[in-house]
């Protein structure tokens, strides 16, 4: 096994759950033993920090030796190498406070993250001047070793294949063949595990999408495939009058985006006020599945106002969609196409961001991460900064909330038990995506994209 595959295997195996619960330590007689040592990451103003608080519960009352050594100096931690190395880190405690309400409780402040499996060592001399040796206890934590890495370290691609400069794909006859694209949709549904009834309904939905509105059968397949995902409301939002214009979209087609030929897609208005979704002809040859996040994104833009936060939110939601899609169809990441490259870069930036849950996905800067896309030309510290830099023509942060974006975030919020909140509020969105990201999906994507800690 190479070092690279070893790192990837570590993330896949450890990210899914905490390690074993802590054990007790101590000695018989008057010296106390440890019933529990529980570490929690400190959170300040809603942001995760790189500090921890450890609550130590002893099994009996005790007296602290009044020697010259500060009480905090009697405690230290041994943290195993989360990458599997043989050398453990020795970590000192910054502060130790004994509870006035419960003398068996001691609170330790540590200036780093403490994962499950760390060992707490307490000098016996803290309680009895003549005592030698240590009392030990395994630490319970809200972070696994792999989560600790994700919460404090940027990941990067270990293979350039995922971000190779994708060229426009050639358009083949099968890209415009109804039967071929219907079969591609059917195969996609099989990979999603759709049952026979659901598959039949989705294929029937594909058949009903008006060709006059969506001429490309590939685009129709991608639109129908949004069924049974959090972005399903995009279908009716585009094809019916149930949107901010009060009219169905006029056209969803592969054509140069007006005034923005380099954009992958753009939402504009026809003369009659109906929406037009222009998909860049350079991506017509892409896999049908890769168009799904793009359509989910463009469906959000309904009014004629646009702000930086709106673009951040729309791109974050389409990238979150891509993470889940990629976990089911890993082959999408390595097609070497223009759209796959863009989605892979966005995925890495989303994984390396997260103000509230830096070990998950997010949009705001993570503590301990200097660049969301290390080893690339981008210096953006977060997903949000990366997306804002991609839209230099937009000079305002705020824009009116789009109803479809709120529908998306409300559906995600309901799934994780969060209250509804404004979809263009980046703090809210950051926490929502952090909670909504399934650790199993995250572990799968890390393995699929062959990510490892940046050097």
């Amino acid at each position: 096994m190479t070092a690279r595959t070893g790192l990837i295997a570590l993330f896949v195996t450890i990210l899914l759950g905490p390690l074993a619960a802590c054990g007790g330590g101590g000695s018989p007689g008057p010296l106390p033993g440890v019933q529990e040592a529980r570490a929690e990451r400190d959170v300040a103003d809603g942001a995760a920090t790189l500090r921890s608080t450890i609550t130590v519960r002893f099994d009996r009352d005790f007296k602290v030796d009044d020697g010259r050594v500060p009480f905090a100096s009697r405690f230290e931690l041994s943290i195993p190498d989360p990458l599997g190395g043989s050398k453990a880190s020795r970590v000192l405690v910054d502060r130790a406070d004994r509870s006035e309400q419960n003398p068996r409780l001691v609170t330790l402040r540590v200036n780093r993250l403490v994962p499950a499996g760390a060992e707490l060592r307490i000098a016996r001399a803290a309680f009895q001047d003549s005592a030698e040796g240590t009392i030990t206890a395994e630490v319970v934590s809200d972070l696994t070793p792999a989560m600790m890495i994700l919460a404090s370290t940027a990941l990067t691609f270990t293979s350039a294949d995922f971000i190779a400069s994708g060229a426009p794909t050639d358009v083949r006859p099968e890209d415009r063949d109804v039967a071929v694209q219907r079969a591609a949709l059917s195969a996609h549904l099989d990979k999603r595990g759709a049952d026979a009834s659901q598959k039949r309904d989705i294929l029937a939905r594909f058949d009903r999408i008006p060709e006059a509105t969506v001429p490309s059968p590939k685009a129709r397949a991608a639109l129908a495939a949004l069924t049974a995902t959090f972005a399903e409301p995009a279908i009716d939002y585009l094809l019916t009058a149930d949107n901010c214009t009060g009219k169905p979209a006029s056209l969803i087609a592969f054509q140069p985006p007006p005034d923005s030929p380099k954009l992958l897609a753009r939402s504009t208005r026809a003369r009659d006020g109906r929406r037009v979704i222009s998909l860049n002809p350079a991506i017509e040859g892409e896999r049908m599945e890769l168009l799904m996040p793009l359509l989910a994104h463009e469906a959000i833009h309904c009014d004629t106002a646009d702000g930086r936060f709106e673009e951040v939110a729309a791109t974050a939601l389409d990238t979150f969609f891509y993470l889940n899609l990629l976990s089911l169809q890993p082959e999408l990441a390595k097609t070497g196409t223009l759209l796959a490259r863009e989605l892979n870069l966005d995925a890495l930036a989303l994984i390396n961001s997260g103000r509230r849950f830096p070990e998950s996905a997010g949009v705001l800067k993570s503590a301990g991460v200097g660049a969301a896309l290390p080893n690339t030309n981008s210096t953006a510290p977060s997903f949000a900064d990366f997306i804002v830099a991609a839209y230099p023509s937009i000079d305002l942060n705020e824009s009116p909330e789009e109803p479809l974006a709120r529908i998306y975030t409300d559906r995600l919020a309901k799934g994780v038990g969060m209250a509804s909140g404004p979809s263009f509020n980046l703090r809210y969105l950051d926490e929502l995506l952090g909670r909504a990201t399934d650790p199993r999906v995250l572990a799968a994507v890390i393995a699929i994209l062959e990510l490892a800690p940046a050097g």
Side-chain angles (χ1 to χ4, degrees), residues 24-348:
S27 63
L31 296 180
V34 176
Q35 285 186 328
E36 182 183 61
R38 180 173 294 276
E40 291 186 357
R41 170 181 49 196
D42 292 350
V43 177
D45 188 28
T49 72
L50 298 179
R51 302 184 302 273
S52 297
T53 296
I54 304 175
T55 303
V56 184
R57 183 184 300 275
F58 291 92
D59 61 3
R60 71 196 72 178
D61 293 342
F62 57 86
K63 291 184 179 181
V64 176
D65 180 71
D66 295 327
R68 295 182 179 181
V69 179
F71 188 44
S73 299
R74 303 293 193 180
F75 298 83
E76 67 176 54
L77 292 151
S78 177
I79 299 180
D81 182 352
L83 295 179
S86 59
K87 188 176 181 180
S89 299
R90 179 172 176 251
V91 178
L92 302 179
V93 171
D94 293 334
R95 180 175 169 180
D97 298 304
R98 192 174 185 184
S99 170
E100 294 181 359
Q101 288 74 35
N102 185 348
R104 296 187 182 186
L105 291 182
V106 173
T107 301
L108 309 178
R109 309 290 180 181
V110 183
N111 196 31
R112 66 164 292 172
L113 298 179
V114 178
E119 184 180 68
L120 175 64
R121 298 172 180 172
I122 310 167
R124 296 187 180 195
F127 314 108
Q128 192 177 88
D129 184 49
S130 60
E132 297 181 354
T134 59
I135 300 169
T136 64
E138 189 174 316
V139 177
V140 175
S141 175
D142 58 343
L143 296 175
T144 67
M147 290 168 68
M148 183 184 76
I149 296 175
L150 295 177
S152 58
T153 307
L155 303 184
T156 191
F157 297 106
T158 57
S159 170
D161 293 344
F162 297 100
I163 52 173
S165 297
T169 50
D170 294 331
V171 180
R172 302 157 300 175
E174 52 263 40
D175 293 318
R176 297 174 178 174
D177 187 291
V178 175
V180 170
Q181 296 308 314
R182 195 178 194 276
L185 172 59
S186 178
H188 164 73
L189 296 174
D190 288 339
K191 291 180 180 180
R192 272 170 46 178
D195 61 33
S197 175
Q198 186 180 60
K199 184 176 177 179
R200 183 174 58 252
D201 290 345
I202 295 174
L203 290 172
R205 195 169 202 175
F206 164 80
D207 296 334
R208 291 195 304 270
I209 295 176
E211 186 176 348
T213 303
V214 191
S216 164
K218 181 180 287 187
R220 296 202 298 276
L223 196 58
L226 297 179
T227 305
T229 73
F230 77 86
E232 178 177 0
I235 303 172
D236 286 343
Y237 205 70
L238 288 170
L239 300 180
T240 73
D242 187 17
N243 60 69
C244 75
T245 70
K247 303 174 183 177
S250 174
L251 184 66
I252 302 169
F254 289 102
Q255 60 184 17
D259 303 319
S260 304
K262 292 185 178 180
L263 287 180
L264 295 178
R266 191 181 184 200
S267 174
T268 55
R269 295 284 187 94
R271 290 184 178 180
D272 61 1
R274 297 164 68 190
R275 281 193 293 173
V276 174
I277 306 297
S278 301
L279 304 173
N280 198 309
I283 62 174
E284 185 176 356
E286 299 270 1
R287 288 277 298 264
M288 175 275 294
E289 296 90 340
L290 293 176
L291 299 177
M292 294 167 63
L294 207 60
L295 289 169
H297 174 132
E298 293 304 323
I300 288 174
H301 300 308
C302 187
D303 61 31
T304 56
D306 195 9
R308 292 169 178 159
F309 295 166
E310 179 172 337
E311 288 297 346
V312 170
T315 310
L317 289 164
D318 82 50
T319 306
F320 177 81
F321 188 103
Y322 178 62
L323 296 184
N324 288 275
L325 183 64
L326 193 57
S327 70
L328 298 174
Q329 295 185 254
E331 72 276 9
L332 298 175
K334 224 169 185 177
T335 61
T337 61
L338 178 63
L339 188 48
R341 178 182 186 275
E342 294 302 312
L343 288 168
N344 289 341
L345 285 168
D346 289 349
L348 179 61

